[in-house]
Amino acid sequence: MSDTQQRAFSAFEMAQAQFDRIADLLELDSAARELLRNPQREYTFAIPVRMDDGTVQVFRGFRVQHNDARGPSKGGIRFHPHETLDTVRALATWMTWKCSVVDIPLGGAKGGVICDPHNLSAREQEQICRGWVRQIAHDVGPLRDVPAPDVMTSPQHMLWMLDELETIHGMKLPGFITGKPVGMGGSLGRKEATGYGLVYTLREALAQLGIRAADTLASVQGFGNVAQYAIELYTQLGGTVTCVSSWNQKDQTAYAFRKHTGVSLAELRSITDRFGGIDKDKAQDLGYDVLPGDAWIERSVDILIPCALENQINASTVQKISPRVRIVAEGANGPTTPEADQALKERGIFMIPDLLANAGGVTCSYFEQVQSNMNYYWERAEVLEKLDLKMTSAFHAVHDLARKQDFYMRDAAYMIAVDRVAQACRDRGWI
Ligand code: NAD
């Protein structure tokens, strides 16, 4: 095995390599490169928690603030047994680019705790949340750094964290954190924001290609939050989804569910668990063909919408994509590998890249922060109207650059994002 193969995969090295390529295209100077390819600040700390059995366990917590030139940093907090500082750095970097591409006045951050909530009581999780805030209370806040939920953290965790910060500072600071429950500072429209945001960009892509949504078929990987709301809005536009896939916990494998006449969202929702797993036997009873998990990518459709995991469209699966496919819209983070990107580019498939297509979530979190800071909350229709405006204008900024200079959509999105952050650093006199 070569040295390279032996070295563990580093998400942060991947994020830096992506950045270096875009820095070359933008011809950034060495100071801009040095500043932007590394986080501005990193915090690692210990969180001692008295467990239910009376013993004390010490958990390790992180917060990485990659860049805040454009505004307070923004990014989720992940609870995961395999959390590492390397992953948190990479995710913080990607948050900077995502906020920038949709042009919201926020920087990028990410946080985490090494723990497994499956093995922790609610009280123990509450103590981890409160302990995390106590360690970093003076370096986060509505005007500095605004966390949110991520893998295995929920609105309840956000509320415990908010309560701790408000107790420390002796004042109400609802703009400190987003993803709060609706009625306790959360925003209407947040649950549908990522899926709907994706379809706003898809609608614009179809218009650019001169295709009517009503004449299209789509196949979707995943049936969780992002996928369900993407399907909801896409079918409202007249499109037909002929296949969805999901993970089956019992069988420890994924299945694809196909109906040539179009899947029914309501029907599938009624047989889906809270983790987005579709009941295979009930689907069969309802007349769905149950196929192997990767069958979603082989369907003869116009649009592929991966909404589950990273690394799904790769060097081997890309060969299975039907000649009919015109658009890939990435709901998931990192579903396409660089090799597959090259193949899609050569085939002339229109790519709506993850940092643009799934930015509806963070855009709506920004709206939540604004509402919380004002302590005045908007109606759902107002939130979605503002979301549509943001996503549509971000799509056109990226598409215009891609068209005028013949860039792949992913490169154009990264170039706009990195250029804006570099410019903000220059404007502030940092570099
Ligand atoms: P979720 O947990 O609600 O749903 C995930 C879905 O993927 C489930 O239906 C699950 O069964 C399915 N799945 C898992 N493994 C699979 C496999 N091997 N094959 C087929 N299906 C599989 O998650 P979500 O919130 O919908 O997020 C999905 C993706 O979108 C993730 O990559 C996430 O990082 C990204 N994302 C989510 C948001 C958001 O606001 N929720 C925002 C930006 C990006």
Side-chain angles (χ1 to χ4, degrees), residues 44-309:
T44 69
F45 40 84
I47 307 171
V49 169
R50 185 161 303 278
M51 308 299 282
D52 292 349
D53 65 4
T55 61
V56 172
Q57 200 170 320
V58 181
F59 295 90
R60 189 125 291 268
F62 307 106
R63 187 70 178 170
V64 172
Q65 295 163 352
H66 171 258
N67 189 285
D68 59 8
R70 288 173 45 84
S73 328
K74 185 94 194 76
I77 300 172
R78 185 175 275 204
F79 283 2
H80 200 278
H82 303 131
E83 188 66 303
T84 64
L85 183 56
D86 181 272
T87 315
V88 181
R89 283 178 178 144
L91 294 166
T93 309
W94 288 323
M95 281 305 294
T96 304
W97 312 142
K98 195 177 288 196
C99 292
S100 176
V101 81
V102 280
D103 205 10
I104 52 181
L106 298 173
K110 205 79 185 188
V113 178
I114 304 174
C115 69
D116 188 351
H118 293 109
N119 308 325
L120 297 165
S121 70
R123 194 200 65 83
E124 290 164 344
Q125 292 181 47
E126 177 179 348
Q127 292 312 308
I128 293 177
C129 289
R130 292 184 184 278
W132 190 92
V133 170
R134 281 198 296 274
Q135 292 304 319
I136 199 164
H138 297 284
D139 298 297
V140 293
L143 304 176
R144 296 187 70 161
D145 180 5
V146 183
D150 198 81
V151 174
M152 288 202 264
T153 51
S154 67
Q156 175 64 75
H157 295 109
M158 300 303 108
L159 208 48
W160 285 325
M161 289 185 169
L162 174 66
D163 187 69
E164 188 67 24
L165 191 90
E166 292 181 336
T167 305
I168 290 168
H169 290 296
M171 61 179 89
K172 296 295 169 197
L173 295 163
F176 157 55
I177 207 159
T178 64
K180 303 182 291 295
V182 171
M184 285 300 288
S187 178
L188 292 169
R190 176 62 187 88
K191 67 176 189 307
E192 48 275 62
T194 308
Y196 276 27
L198 178 142
V199 176
Y200 296 143
T201 62
L202 174 60
R203 179 195 63 202
E204 298 305 307
L206 287 167
Q208 291 300 324
L209 298 172
I211 304 171
R212 275 167 21 104
D215 296 334
T216 62
L217 303 179
S219 178
V220 180
Q221 187 188 36
F223 197 64
N225 172 269
V226 180
Q228 290 188 30
Y229 287 103
I231 294 170
E232 184 170 285
L233 192 59
Y234 169 68
T235 49
Q236 279 171 25
L237 295 180
T240 303
V241 174
T242 55
C243 186
V244 303
S245 67
S246 79
W247 181 252
N248 187 299
Q249 187 62 23
K250 196 166 119 247
D251 296 358
Q252 286 294 300
T253 187
Y255 293 108
F257 302 87
R258 176 180 63 182
K259 203 175 239 186
H260 289 298
T261 51
V263 307
S264 155
L265 181 63
E267 201 171 71
L268 286 179
R269 271 180 172 154
S270 73
I271 57 166
T272 297
D273 65 26
R274 67 194 168 92
F275 303 107
I278 298 169
D279 187 312
K280 176 174 64 140
D281 299 327
K282 288 184 182 159
Q284 219 145 19
D285 292 345
L286 289 167
Y288 289 84
D289 301 323
V290 180
L291 308 172
D294 55 7
W296 74 280
I297 205 170
E298 301 167 14
R299 308 278 49 91
S300 175
V301 292
D302 308 278
I303 305 161
L304 291 177
I305 313 182
C307 294
L309 304 169

